[in-house]
Amino acid sequence: MTDAVVAAARAALEHAYAPYSRFRVGAALEADDGRVFVGANVENASFGLTNCAERVALGAAVVAGARTFRRLVVATEGRAPSPPCGACRQALAEFGLDIIVEAVNAAERRQWRLGDLLPDHFGPADLGS
Ligand code: THU
């Protein structure tokens, strides 16, 4: 079940800063060119400022020049693998709906196409006149 992208997400989870929720999340986003960008959740005493792991990874990828992605792995430690929150789905959808989203915990893996997690989403095309 383990591959390099899953391993990267799990390694990122180890660096999560989640002293308030104690819910650690790691993300690894694989670009079409093969590069893998990681993120972890970064919480804040002002709770609403928390950054999700997925958007931390996406930001790192975009800053590095990546724009197209094939796969996102989200690693958590809960009883079931956790799909990305709605805000992260929207942020990822900016860059395409065909990204494969995988959620893993220690025992299980779930997989979706991003577009299936966010049907009828608002996107760049909606801004056109
Ligand atoms: N979290 C993520 O990092 N990604 C998600 O998609 C859902 C939630 C984080 C935010 C917060 O630090 C903790 O998980 C509990 O909500």
Side-chain angles (χ1 to χ4, degrees):
M1 153 169 184
T2 300
D3 62 37
V5 184
V6 172
R10 288 191 171 130
L13 177 150
E14 297 295 332
H15 297 293
Y17 179 73
Y20 307 109
S21 72
R22 304 268 173 208
F23 187 79
R24 302 193 299 174
V25 185
L29 183 60
E30 184 179 15
D32 281 347
D33 64 12
R35 289 184 291 168
V36 176
F37 301 93
V38 298
N41 52 333
V42 182
E43 297 186 347
N44 191 276
S46 178
F47 300 156
L49 296 183
T50 292
N51 292 304
C52 288
E54 297 92 326
R55 278 177 287 155
V56 171
L58 180 62
V62 170
V63 167
R67 293 289 185 274
T68 56
F69 306 100
R70 52 190 179 213
R71 187 177 171 211
L72 169 74
V73 175
V74 181
T76 54
E77 302 169 296
R79 275 180 297 175
S82 300
C85 77
C88 290
R89 295 177 197 196
Q90 176 68 27
L92 290 159
E94 180 74 19
F95 299 94
L97 298 172
D98 289 328
I99 301 168
I100 297 301
V101 177
E102 290 177 42
V104 300
N105 66 4
E108 285 178 72
R109 181 193 297 235
R110 297 184 67 193
Q111 180 174 303
W112 308 265
R113 175 182 169 269
L114 179 61
D116 294 331
L117 291 176
L118 195 66
D120 299 324
H121 83 294
F122 181 86
D126 292 296
L127 296 175
S129 51

